[in-house]
């Protein structure tokens, strides 16, 4: 699931930061995990997509823990562009706020429940007023028509 990680081109460097420390990226896919996990055997950081019962790096059966403190502090400094940036969202958010924002973002694409056309969430009310698949009730006879 791509929702578990973000590509590094969406990451905005904070003041005084010129590179992303590869130690806080997923050791396998090289993206930033939204819920990073550390292999208890080799200490590599992985996203939920890449991790498994066996670590893909050390190839040993493993369990996972959260980020070490040094990595967690750096992780919280990053601001990430909303995934709906291409459709107009200009938000730059910390990892924890990003997850919540992207679920409700008004620039998110959603399907019309009537015609299944993909439209921006913020345009749904306008679309519903002109959608040809919305049933209307005749005020006189109460018959439903399109």
């Amino acid at each position: 699931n791509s929702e578990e990680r973000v590509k590094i081109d969406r990451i905005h460097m904070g003041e005084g930061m010129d590179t992303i420390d590869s130690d806080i990226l997923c050791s396998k896919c090289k993206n930033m995990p939204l819920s990073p996990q550390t292999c208890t055997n080799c200490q590599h950081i992985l996203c939920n997509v890449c991790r498994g019962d066996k670590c893909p790096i050390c190839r040993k059966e493993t369990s996972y823990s959260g980020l070490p403190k040094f990595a967690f502090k750096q992780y919280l400094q990053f601001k990430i562009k909303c995934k709906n940036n291409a459709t107009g969202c200009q938000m730059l958010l910390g990892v924890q706020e990003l997850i919540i924002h992207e679920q409700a973002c008004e620039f998110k694409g959603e399907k019309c429940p009537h015609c299944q056309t993909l439209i921006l969430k913020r345009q749904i009310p306008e679309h519903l007023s002109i959608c040809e698949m919305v049933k209307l009730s005749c005020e006189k006879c109460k018959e439903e028509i399109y």
Side-chain angles (χ1 to χ4, degrees):
N1 180 345
S2 61
E3 306 292 326
E4 299 290 341
R5 56 192 177 191
V6 294
K7 295 189 182 291
I8 60 172
D9 62 351
R10 287 179 50 200
I11 300 170
H12 174 75
M13 303 295 176
E15 215 171 291
M17 298 171 72
D18 54 358
T19 60
I20 299 170
D21 186 346
S22 63
D23 288 343
I24 67 164
L25 300 178
C26 175
S27 295
K28 184 175 180 192
C29 70
K30 306 301 183 205
N31 290 312
M32 179 173 279
L34 293 181
S35 299
Q37 301 292 309
T38 305
C39 171
T40 54
N41 292 324
C42 66
Q43 303 305 304
H44 281 97
I45 293 172
L46 298 161
C47 66
N48 284 335
V49 176
C50 294
R51 71 173 234 177
D53 293 337
K54 285 187 178 182
C55 172
I57 307 303
C58 69
R59 307 219 185 283
K60 294 180 183 174
E61 294 280 330
T62 191
S63 59
Y64 295 91
S65 62
L67 285 176
K69 277 188 180 180
F70 82 90
F72 188 70
K73 283 183 179 181
Q74 186 179 14
Y75 182 75
L76 292 178
Q77 290 179 328
F78 289 107
K79 299 292 181 200
I80 302 171
K81 291 179 196 173
C82 174
K83 68 181 175 184
N84 302 306
N85 183 270
T87 55
C89 185
Q90 299 298 309
M91 297 297 288
L92 273 175
L93 301 158
V95 175
Q96 295 168 330
E97 299 91 10
L98 180 75
I99 297 167
I100 294 165
H101 166 79
E102 287 184 347
Q103 291 172 351
C105 180
E106 63 184 27
F107 291 93
K108 174 181 174 182
E110 290 192 359
K111 286 186 178 181
C112 169
H114 302 282
C115 68
Q116 303 302 306
T117 300
L118 187 63
I119 50 179
L120 296 182
K121 184 175 182 172
R122 68 191 197 119
Q123 294 174 331
I124 289 177
E126 179 185 338
H127 172 78
L128 290 176
S129 71
I130 59 168
C131 180
E132 294 178 5
M133 297 303 291
V134 174
K135 288 183 181 179
L136 302 172
S137 291
C138 174
E139 290 182 20
K140 292 184 179 183
C141 69
K142 303 298 183 207
E143 186 178 333
E144 287 192 339
I145 55 173
Y146 286 99

